[in-house]
Amino acid sequence: MSEAPLLYSVEDGVARFTLNRPDSLNSFNAELHTAMRQALKAVRQDGSVRALLLTGSGRGFCAGQDLSDRNVAPGAETPDLGESLEKRYNPMLRALRDLPFPTICAVNGVAAGAGANIALACDIVLAARSASFIQAFCKIGLLPDSGGTWTLPRLVGMARAKGLTMLGDKLSAEQAERWGMIWKVVDDEALQDEALTLARHLATQPTRGLALIKRALHASADNSFDQQLDLERDLQRLAGRTADYREGVAAFMEKRQPSFKGG
Amino acid sequence: MPSYLIVEGPSRGVLRITLYRPEALNALTTALLAELAETLVAAEQNAEVRAVVITGSQRAFAAGADIKEMAAHDLVGMLEDPRQRHWASIARFSKPIVAAVNGFCLGGGCELAMHADILIAGEDSRFGQPEINLGIMPGAGGTQRLVRAVGKALATQMVLTGEPISAHRALEAGLISEITQPELAVERALAVAETIAAKAPLAVRLAREALHKAEDTDLTTGLRFERHAFTLLAGTRDREEGIRAFQEKRPATFTGH
């Protein structure tokens, strides 16, 4: 196993990020943050990337913040957690959410704290049957961050969001699927293959159109019905100008498989 | 003489000016400002031009002045800085300007955008006056036009902290009139400019002058100016045409007389 905190590769339009600090359940320290920031910037700039697959190495997906990086010694000044979010987590979550192509998360094991919310910030979340989600923040006197307080009510409703975040209990992958919090549960040994197959498929689809779908769905949280109709009009105008739209219609008329280029 | 502008048109009465210094996020060098001022002076004379759209790139409308250039000035250099002449010349332009803003609109860029009559901005745009971070302050209307546009509290916060605001905040505060998808800002600005270009030019010109008066004078004087301008239009052929077209339920054809 390489020493790099994040394994990064691009192949056939699919970028793969593997959180790689297995000894500490892939928790986030300064090095992993730096690597994530650089990798997110790289995929954004690499015109060949049309899908992102995010997963973890070892038995966990991500345990959130590495608390050994944050030890508050008695009598020492308390760290400014707001600054840590402002400088590290928030830019990462914004960059992840705003990627102009689909993001797939393969949750291979426990996803706790920020780790759970980073997974849930991806577009399509697959989880191994043995994986679990834990909003552990309340156990140490904190509130969910990395978008958790925004994402959870939208995914599972307010009652479940409050239960999850105030009790901090483990939620099994199967229960998460039943609740509609994630897309799908997969047998442990099949998870990586299935996630990669899905990412490869998405990387052959009309990428611009998929990016516009994301934009519209994200905006819907803050929009009225009327505003959303206006947004759909504006985004459809853009979608209708893409080469992929023309190809899609032509392929349909000619009863053949479309060949999308992502533009 | 390198050109920092792409000038297209006029088409349907609209001249389109694109700031083009991609290597420097359209930072406003003195040469660029001079070119913009000259372009507007020429557009002033051209009867075909009835409105102007100024735009930058998707990444930046303009990210400020050119710092290297500014650093070279001492006190005397500042006093004799030709930029003031160019700014004054841009401010004197008598036809409507619509700015389409995307990305960074900072410092001199924000000041230039505020020279426009109407601002349309993509929702990824950010407006700010970061001069204070360099130990200086806005010098081309930033402290004056911003207060008038967004009010004292927000303008003071922006100028003294140097922190930019989002397009949504700019819309709430009244700095911009419309927010669009980033890719549609220019299109929308052109549409607005073309709508204006189809109106009676004299009515547009006098209405615009009256609107400018409102920022610059007391209400009594402003109302008097408005009435004079309103009366002046009674002597135009376009007014007759406008009223007749309305009565005859047909679109008006304005000639500018």
Side-chain angles (χ1 to χ4, degrees):
Chain A
M1 215 21 133
S2 144
E3 288 299 287
L6 180 75
L7 305 178
Y8 170 81
S9 67
V10 177
E11 199 184 334
D12 299 334
V14 177
R16 294 173 79 172
F17 288 11
T18 307
L19 304 174
N20 189 37
R21 300 183 66 233
D23 297 342
S24 54
L25 289 175
N26 304 320
S27 60
F28 270 83
N29 62 357
E31 288 74 31
L32 181 51
H33 269 295
T34 303
M36 242 339 232
R37 188 169 54 243
Q38 287 166 345
L40 283 166
K41 195 171 169 179
V43 284
R44 180 96 210 203
Q45 287 171 344
D46 180 342
S48 76
V49 174
R50 292 168 63 187
L52 168 66
L53 173 56
L54 171 65
T55 190
S57 66
R59 56 195 181 84
F61 168 68
C62 175
Q65 170 65 32
D66 185 341
L67 290 175
S68 65
D69 229 35
R70 277 242 183 107
N71 224 336
V72 190
E77 203 163 318
T78 51
D80 180 347
L81 299 190
E83 187 170 20
S84 159
L85 295 184
E86 182 71 27
K87 293 228 164 85
R88 291 177 172 182
Y89 285 93
N90 291 357
M92 170 170 70
L93 267 295
R94 286 190 180 108
L96 180 64
R97 200 182 83 125
D98 292 344
L99 285 173
F101 43 73
T103 54
I104 298 101
C105 188
V107 181
N108 53 299
V110 68
N117 295 331
I118 290 163
L120 298 178
C122 293
D123 298 322
I124 296 184
V125 184
L126 305 181
R129 205 165 295 282
S130 67
S132 58
F133 297 83
I134 313 172
Q135 296 290 334
F137 303 90
C138 59
K139 307 275 195 198
I140 54 171
L142 298 181
L143 67 143
D145 58 29
S146 302
T149 60
W150 189 91
T151 311
L152 283 167
R154 287 169 173 77
L155 292 176
V156 298
M158 192 56 89
R160 284 167 172 165
K162 282 185 171 166
L164 284 174
T165 54
M166 291 183 155
L167 299 170
D169 292 344
K170 182 188 283 197
L171 183 76
S172 71
E174 286 178 328
Q175 186 70 311
E177 183 195 54
R178 275 195 293 274
W179 282 7
M181 190 169 105
I182 61 170
W183 178 239
K184 201 172 169 192
V185 170
V186 182
D187 287 335
D188 287 26
E189 54 279 9
L191 174 72
Q192 296 299 346
D193 279 350
E194 186 147 345
L196 187 58
T197 304
L198 180 64
R200 284 189 174 140
H201 163 74
L202 284 166
T204 65
Q205 294 306 294
T207 308
R208 272 288 336 265
L210 296 175
L212 294 171
I213 291 176
K214 269 175 85 154
R215 254 163 83 176
L217 290 173
H218 291 163
S220 71
D222 307 314
N223 276 349
S224 66
F225 185 64
D226 276 333
Q227 286 170 315
Q228 195 68 13
L229 288 174
D230 288 347
L231 181 70
E232 287 175 355
R233 172 203 63 206
D234 291 346
L235 296 184
Q236 202 72 297
R237 180 175 288 156
L238 297 172
R241 292 175 190 167
T242 61
D244 279 348
Y245 168 64
R246 281 196 295 277
E247 166 64 11
V249 174
F252 177 82
M253 299 307 283
E254 295 159 21
K255 296 192 170 53
R256 58 171 174 83
Q257 282 298 312
S259 158
F260 296 118
K261 302 286 182 280
Chain B
M1 171 76 195
S3 174
Y4 299 123
L5 302 180
I6 299 168
V7 182
E8 298 158 276
S11 125
R12 289 194 285 265
V14 176
L15 187 74
R16 180 174 168 181
I17 302 175
T18 308
L19 310 177
Y20 190 72
R21 281 190 73 214
E23 73 287 352
L25 293 174
N26 294 333
L28 306 173
T29 54
T30 303
L32 186 152
L33 268 188
E35 211 179 315
L36 180 59
E38 277 167 41
T39 305
L40 291 176
V41 166
E44 185 81 56
Q45 306 304 321
N46 183 348
E48 300 282 292
V49 177
R50 293 187 174 185
V52 171
V53 165
I54 299 182
T55 169
S57 69
Q58 206 67 17
R59 273 196 73 206
F61 177 75
D66 191 89
I67 308 294
K68 279 204 240 11
E69 215 177 40
M70 198 190 317
H73 278 317
D74 59 3
L75 180 62
V76 176
M78 273 298 173
L79 280 172
E80 291 166 358
D81 191 353
R83 295 173 75 86
Q84 303 170 60
R85 278 206 321 279
H86 305 323
W87 283 117
S89 172
I90 293 165
R92 268 199 309 274
F93 186 62
S94 73
K95 297 172 186 182
I97 301 178
V98 183
V101 177
N102 270 309
F104 299 111
C105 186
L106 304 174
C110 188
E111 289 169 313
L112 175 61
M114 289 191 290
H115 277 71
D117 299 285
I118 298 169
L119 277 76
I120 310 281
E123 64 174 359
D124 64 341
S125 56
R126 297 180 70 70
F127 296 81
Q129 300 290 164
E131 288 89 343
I132 201 86
N133 299 330
L134 305 179
I136 56 174
M137 61 176 278
T143 62
Q144 305 303 304
R145 290 193 174 89
L146 200 59
V147 169
R148 287 166 168 79
V150 306
K152 174 175 117 7
L154 182 57
T156 305
Q157 191 172 335
M158 286 171 72
V159 170
L160 298 188
T161 66
E163 285 166 9
I165 59 170
S166 68
H168 283 283
R169 193 76 208 281
L171 182 71
E172 280 167 20
L175 180 61
I176 64 179
S177 60
E178 279 189 32
I179 200 162
T180 68
Q181 295 303 309
E183 304 89 330
L184 296 172
V186 175
E187 206 170 303
R188 181 65 195 137
L190 287 167
V192 170
E194 281 167 18
T195 302
I196 295 170
K199 310 295 179 201
L202 291 169
V204 168
R205 182 175 176 156
L206 285 167
R208 186 174 170 274
E209 277 182 34
L211 288 160
H212 281 204
K213 269 282 183 279
E215 299 204 303
D216 218 14
T217 182
D218 59 273
L219 182 61
T220 310
T221 312
L223 289 170
R224 197 176 313 132
F225 181 89
E226 182 190 71
R227 195 67 219 173
H228 284 322
F230 184 83
T231 310
L232 212 54
L233 290 175
T236 63
R237 286 208 286 279
D238 278 346
R239 176 176 177 270
E240 284 171 43
E241 163 65 11
I243 292 171
R244 192 170 319 123
F246 176 80
Q247 287 165 339
E248 294 168 8
K249 297 192 172 58
R250 59 170 174 85
T253 311
F254 296 118
T255 59
H257 295 287

